[in-house]
Amino acid sequence: TLSDETVQLSPMRQQIASVTTASKREKPHFYVSAEIDMTLATEFRRQINSGLRENAAHVSVNDLVIKACVETLKQYPKFNAHFNTQGLHMNADINIGVAISKDAGLITPSILRCQGKSLPEIAAASKDLIERSKGNTLNHEEYTGGTFTISNMGMLEVSGFSAIIVPPQIAVLAVGTITKKPIVNDDKVVIARMMNVTLSADHRVVDGAEGAYFTRE
């Protein structure tokens, strides 16, 4: 029911308010959106999962996105950097933050050192990270060591959105749901599985063309 009252914010919500306000105030966000054909990727995922042993972690769409971002960050390392008052700190490790919704608010713990992980290893690490986040057993580095974040609301059937950059990171990728759409391929209309993504990036560090190259990869 509706009522006139002041509701005290939880400590987590106060922290979220502080971090997001600072990010939008200090970081000149710009946005690049793209529609990606995931038809072959989803079939590849199906083939991988069909060959896994029974107790192995199955590969999710988000795991595919994480792996793709890792390979792209190797080509465009500025998107994996941290911005501070001394300049741009280039990170040797690729630690992918994963946005996880909890009752008290949103957290973005990281899968650490993804640059050396295979797709099945990323799937296992992602599943482990989500499970331990439920039990509040994540360590400090997982909470604070992210170098690039992915926020995926595809499971909520969101077609597309823009996310706020997590300081001191340079960028965040917002991922929407996969939907079947008619597209033109070799002058023929075919049904494809399409996914919208939006890259939010810090204009002090990278430009629109670099963002376009990143999303194109």
Side-chain angles (χ1 to χ4, degrees), residues 110-217:
S110 301
I111 303 172
L112 303 175
R113 291 170 280 281
C114 289
Q115 71 274 12
K117 287 182 167 61
S118 65
L119 182 56
E121 288 172 336
I122 286 174
S126 177
K127 181 179 179 181
D128 175 66
L129 193 78
I130 293 170
E131 288 299 318
R132 287 190 295 112
S133 73
K134 297 175 182 177
N136 298 316
T137 59
L138 299 171
N139 64 47
H140 180 73
E141 186 181 9
E142 289 169 327
Y143 269 121
T144 63
T147 59
F148 182 90
T149 294
I150 295 170
S151 181
N152 190 338
M153 290 207 290
M155 68 291 296
L156 300 177
E157 298 186 0
V158 172
S159 59
F161 67 105
S162 300
I164 298 175
I165 301 167
V166 180
Q169 296 173 30
I170 300 302
V172 55
L173 187 73
V175 181
T177 192
I178 294 177
T179 57
K180 290 183 178 180
K181 290 184 178 181
I183 66 168
V184 177
N185 189 353
D186 291 333
D187 293 330
K188 295 180 181 179
V189 177
V190 297
I191 301 299
R193 299 175 68 85
M194 306 300 293
M195 180 179 75
N196 287 317
V197 300
T198 298
L199 179 75
S200 305
D202 188 337
H203 219 322
R204 296 173 299 178
V205 179
V206 291
D207 298 320
E210 293 172 293
Y213 295 141
F214 187 96
T215 54
R216 189 178 63 186
E217 293 294 330

